[in-house]
């Protein structure tokens, strides 16, 4: 099953980590550690998808894929 790609980066102005789901507009979360940010964005993603379904809004297919090394 294909899932949404999550991007995590350190934000100096915020003093912590930001995790975002690029395919889902405005879906992001903050954490003091990268793991915390990912846990929080998973919650945000689930809520984003739930609201979109309830409101009958289009849900984009996952399009981002991590870089392959090898």
């Amino acid at each position: 099953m294909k899932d949404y790609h999550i991007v995590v980066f350190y934000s100096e102005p915020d003093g912590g980590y930001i995790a975002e789901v690029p395919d889902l507009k405005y879906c992001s979360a903050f954490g003091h550690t990268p793991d915390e940010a990912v846990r929080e964005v998973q919650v945000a993603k689930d809520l984003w998808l739930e609201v979109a379904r309830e409101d009958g809004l289009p849900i984009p297919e996952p399009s981002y894929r991590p870089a392959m090394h090898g």
Side-chain angles (χ1 to χ4, degrees), residues 27 41-54:
C27 185
V41 86
Q42 291 285 6
V43 172
K45 177 188 77 168
D46 291 343
L47 291 171
W48 193 106
L49 293 169
E50 181 182 325
V51 169
R53 284 186 195 102
E54 287 174 0

Side-chain angles (χ1 to χ4, degrees), residues 15-66:
Y17 293 86
I18 305 294
E20 62 184 16
V21 180
D23 285 326
L24 305 178
K25 193 171 185 177
Y26 306 123
C27 185
S28 65
F30 173 86
H32 293 287
T33 67
D35 287 341
E36 182 183 1
V38 169
R39 281 193 306 272
E40 293 297 323
V41 86
Q42 291 285 6
V43 172
K45 177 188 77 168
D46 291 343
L47 291 171
W48 193 106
L49 293 169
E50 181 182 325
V51 169
R53 284 186 195 102
E54 287 174 0
D55 291 351
L57 300 173
I59 297 174
E61 288 292 318
S63 66
Y64 287 88
R65 285 186 264 159

Side-chain angles (χ1 to χ4, degrees), residues 4-20:
Y4 293 98
H5 183 70
I6 297 171
V7 177
V8 180
F9 59 93
Y10 185 77
S11 171
E12 191 74 40
D14 295 313
Y17 293 86
I18 305 294
E20 62 184 16

